Amino acid sequence: MRLVIQRVKRAEVLVKDTVFSKIEKGLLILLGLSKEDRFLKDKNINKIVQKVLNLRIFADKENKLNLSLLDIGGEILLVSQFTLYANCRKGRRPNFSLAMPGEEAKKMFAKIKNIFSSSYKKVYTGAFGEEMEIKLINDGPVTIILDSQDIL
């Protein structure tokens, strides 16, 4: 599992020019799933979720990154993005053979969203499998990349 976590002042997902979901201050999380992620157990997913919720990437009164999403009461916009598993080693067209297949990824994404939601109430998502337009105001900018292989 790969997560690109962006601290945002606000973000929204549009599908066919209509707002699907939006958040104010918080985290936009682009989530990529690999074929190997089908073997992740709930306890491992929960460990990743807790890591994200407790990342100290928000500024305190002294402008130091000492506060987590939990500390500031921010929101999460979780968006599935299979292209995070693009392999660009050969040629010019990315190969997505490492990404989890669509239907399986849809179920796993729902499971991950549910684990996020059971730990934190302010979780919104993009539209799985749809063409989306994502608008965001990056804050900082602060962008963190997490890979489950580095955490577990």
Side-chain angles (χ1 to χ4, degrees):
M1 181 183 329
R2 288 191 181 136
L3 300 96
V4 175
I5 302 165
Q6 297 180 62
R7 190 177 78 183
V8 297
K9 291 184 179 182
R10 64 183 164 276
E12 66 182 15
V13 172
L14 291 94
V15 176
K16 298 177 183 162
D17 295 323
T18 302
V19 175
F20 182 83
S21 57
K22 64 181 178 177
I23 64 168
E24 294 300 320
K25 185 174 184 173
L27 301 175
L28 168 63
I29 303 172
L30 305 175
L31 173 69
L33 296 165
S34 77
K35 289 178 181 177
E36 297 300 315
D37 292 329
R38 64 177 52 118
F39 304 113
L40 284 175
K41 301 197 180 320
D42 286 2
K43 69 177 184 176
N44 292 332
I45 296 169
N46 192 54
K47 185 176 180 179
I48 294 164
V49 166
Q50 291 306 311
K51 172 71 96 175
V52 171
L53 293 176
N54 289 286
L55 277 175
R56 294 174 16 183
I57 59 174
F58 291 91
D60 63 13
K61 291 178 184 175
E62 297 172 5
N63 210 26
K64 296 187 182 202
L65 298 182
N66 278 327
L67 302 176
S68 70
L69 184 75
L70 298 174
D71 295 325
I72 67 148
E75 299 176 307
I76 294 174
L77 181 53
L78 186 63
V79 178
S80 176
Q81 189 167 356
F82 76 96
T83 59
L84 292 177
Y85 276 95
N87 182 336
C88 299
R89 290 187 183 115
K90 294 182 181 177
R92 291 180 275 168
R93 178 177 296 152
N95 178 318
F96 300 106
S97 63
L98 297 176
M100 186 180 285
E103 281 306 309
E104 192 177 356
K106 185 175 185 176
K107 291 176 187 170
M108 180 63 92
F109 182 81
K111 181 181 195 176
I112 293 166
K113 190 263 184 191
N114 289 337
I115 292 173
F116 261 106
S117 295
S118 68
S119 296
Y120 195 71
K121 299 302 176 210
K122 300 176 186 179
V123 179
Y124 306 90
T125 65
F128 189 95
E130 296 288 334
E131 284 287 322
M132 294 176 274
E133 183 177 310
I134 300 173
K135 295 181 179 182
L136 66 128
I137 304 294
N138 211 324
D139 185 14
V142 173
T143 303
I144 307 290
I145 300 172
L146 291 180
D147 195 303
S148 58
Q149 292 182 350
D150 298 333
I151 298 170
L152 303 176

